[in-house]
Amino acid sequence: MWPIAAGTHRLWSDEAASPLRSFGLYCLLLFLFVAYSRPLELLGIGYRIPFALSLVALIALTLGGGLLRTFRSSAARLWVGFTFCLLVATPFSAWRGGSMDLLIDQWSKSLLVFFLVAGLVRTLGDCRRALFTLAAAGVAIAVEASLWGVSSSEGRLTLPSGTLNNPNEIGILLVTILPLVWFLFATHGSWVLRAGGTLATLLILKIIIDTGSRAAFVAVAGMMAYLLVSLSARRRMKYCVGGLAVCALLVASTPDLLIERLATT
């Protein structure tokens, strides 16, 4: 571990205990949940509340001194340097309009989230809260899809409006959050969270299959294969039995049209 000067360590400790930083952290956690799960899009509110939350979190980060501290890290300097390269390259790109849209609509938001997370998540406890928030947001997506999802002309599950009206988008979001949900909830010490995590995992698997996303289906199969290889022989047998039961349940509840689509992967 790299040595930390006493003065710097005291500054970090003071900042971690700052009420302003704590307020900014909870604004960030709420922003991450709303921005990832996107429930407000179903209400037609769109990006107003996530934008307001990120702005409040950024103000708290700046006033608390966390923004300047984050700029001292090599990761932040690399991100800013890469952003500068994107700005320089955009006028010379083959598709200037598309490059500008990517820079403004996507990269600028990613850069903002980087500074918010790097500046406000200061302890292991903060990191665990952020991970739980993302896992809860993934479960929220699955709940939204199960309650308000509609079937497309191809029989694929999607949401009626918003950015999640693309089945592939739902599938990819859920498959990226699935290991986090399993690790945080299904393996938790509390039996209530373990039971809830197991049910959430099953729901997410069901929604992924219903979206008919081939990429998400292949990713889930790869995860399951890696899980079986990494387990001991005794636990591997246990998970094989449970996995076969889950597979049988999913196949029985999946329309033939989706099974045919996934079979052509």
Side-chain angles (χ1 to χ4, degrees), residues 21-254:
R21 189 206 68 90
S22 298
F23 173 73
L25 173 65
Y26 285 109
C27 288
L28 170 64
L29 295 179
L30 187 56
F31 163 75
L32 290 176
F33 179 83
V34 173
Y36 197 93
S37 60
R38 312 174 198 182
L40 300 177
E41 292 183 3
L42 297 174
L43 302 176
I45 300 177
Y47 299 98
R48 295 183 182 89
I49 293 181
F51 174 75
L53 289 171
S54 63
L55 184 60
V56 172
L58 180 61
I59 293 173
L61 173 65
T62 304
L63 294 179
L67 186 60
L68 291 177
R69 175 188 51 75
T70 305
F71 267 109
R72 298 191 188 104
S73 67
S74 58
R77 291 195 291 269
L78 289 173
W79 272 70
V80 173
F82 184 66
T83 303
F84 178 76
C85 291
L86 290 178
L87 289 171
V88 173
T90 296
F92 305 99
S93 64
W95 186 20
R96 296 183 185 88
S99 299
M100 185 60 67
D101 290 340
L102 177 67
L103 193 63
I104 295 175
D105 294 337
Q106 299 183 36
W107 182 254
S108 61
K109 298 174 184 176
S110 300
L111 188 64
L112 171 62
V113 172
F114 165 78
F115 279 105
L116 291 178
V117 172
L120 293 171
V121 178
R122 299 294 299 120
T123 65
L124 288 177
D126 295 340
C127 182
R128 188 171 181 84
R129 292 186 188 96
L131 292 176
F132 266 109
T133 300
L134 290 176
V139 176
I141 293 176
V143 172
E144 292 167 19
S146 63
L147 293 179
W148 296 289
V150 296
S151 181
S152 67
S153 58
E154 299 177 332
R156 304 174 65 187
L157 181 66
T158 183
L159 286 174
S161 61
T163 55
L164 293 181
N165 64 347
N166 184 346
N168 291 327
E169 183 81 9
I170 299 175
I172 292 300
L173 282 174
L174 290 180
V175 81
T176 55
I177 212 69
L178 179 60
L180 193 58
V181 172
W182 174 256
F183 176 74
L184 290 178
F185 291 109
T187 61
H188 197 275
S190 170
W191 69 269
V192 176
L193 286 180
R194 286 202 306 271
T198 302
L199 292 177
T201 301
L202 294 176
L203 177 61
I204 290 175
L205 287 173
K206 173 60 178 172
I207 298 300
I208 290 175
I209 297 299
D210 287 346
T211 61
S213 173
R214 297 186 181 99
F217 178 73
V218 171
V220 170
M223 290 180 193
M224 297 300 105
Y226 175 79
L227 180 63
L228 291 178
V229 170
S230 61
L231 291 174
S232 62
R234 182 177 179 181
R235 297 187 67 187
R236 188 180 302 133
M237 180 63 66
K238 176 182 176 181
Y239 276 85
C240 281
V241 173
L244 288 175
V246 171
C247 288
L249 182 62
L250 290 176
V251 170
S253 60
T254 302

